[in-house]
Amino acid sequence: MSLRPALSLALRSARAGPLAASRRVATSMHVVGARQMSGHGEGHIQETFEQFTDRYVAFFNGVEDLFELQRGLNNCFAHDLVPATGIIEAALKAARRVDDYATAVRIFEGVREKVENRQQYDAYLSELEGIRKELGVETKEELYTGKP
């Protein structure tokens, strides 16, 4: 599968809205991650963006320790898409459950690296503002403003 049409779609979709672009690309490619079927390796299961989101939300809701949280974040962010806000929210709650503030801050750094531009990052921040306030999580930029 060629990524050129999907990337072209991403650039055209960026005008429609910051979060809409990443959702459209993932849905248009229709394959977020191919997991091999158990058994004889006869084929692959195609996972939609919604299935990907549901899988990682469920994963982060069940996280019980820091290693599991960080392993899940590494796997989630390794895919060629920006995770949905539902995944980010579940990951932030998991970071709170395992009492690791640094990982919560790093989640936002990961989002900043995955999005295409600052407007998309700002859209994620505004959409996640409620959970950020609830958990008391600041971004790296807010922590290191250079002001005493």
Side-chain angles (χ1 to χ4, degrees):
M1 169 188 301
S2 172
L3 292 179
R4 187 171 298 267
L7 293 175
S8 174
L9 176 64
L11 295 175
R12 287 187 307 232
S13 299
R15 294 183 193 115
L19 297 180
S22 62
R23 288 186 186 123
R24 279 194 206 108
V25 170
T27 304
S28 71
M29 291 174 61
H30 203 255
V31 177
V32 174
R35 294 182 293 167
Q36 189 148 11
M37 293 171 43
S38 60
H40 300 92
E42 297 165 348
H44 295 278
I45 298 173
Q46 293 186 346
E47 186 176 48
T48 65
F49 184 74
E50 290 77 20
Q51 291 168 330
F52 175 85
T53 299
D54 294 342
R55 180 167 59 102
Y56 275 100
V57 167
F59 175 83
F60 287 122
N61 285 338
V63 164
E64 295 181 7
D65 62 27
L66 180 59
F67 174 78
E68 195 175 7
L69 171 61
Q70 291 177 341
R71 181 178 58 91
L73 287 168
N74 284 334
N75 291 338
C76 181
F77 279 89
H79 291 276
D80 190 22
L81 58 88
V82 182
T85 55
I87 295 174
I88 303 302
E89 184 173 334
L92 289 169
K93 288 179 180 178
R96 178 64 175 165
R97 246 189 341 271
V98 300
D99 196 25
D100 190 41
Y101 184 80
T103 298
V105 173
R106 294 282 297 166
I107 290 169
F108 286 105
E109 288 183 67
V111 170
R112 188 183 68 228
E113 291 299 317
K114 293 293 279 188
V115 296
E116 295 177 1
N117 54 49
R118 182 64 192 202
Q119 291 80 17
Q120 286 182 346
Y121 180 61
D122 290 340
Y124 267 85
L125 290 179
S126 66
E127 198 164 328
L128 294 164
E129 185 68 29
I131 191 73
R132 287 181 57 222
K133 286 187 189 271
E134 177 185 330
L135 300 178
V137 177
E138 294 182 330
T139 64
K140 182 179 175 181
E141 298 87 6
E142 293 168 338
L143 289 171
Y144 300 106
T145 59
K147 298 177 185 175

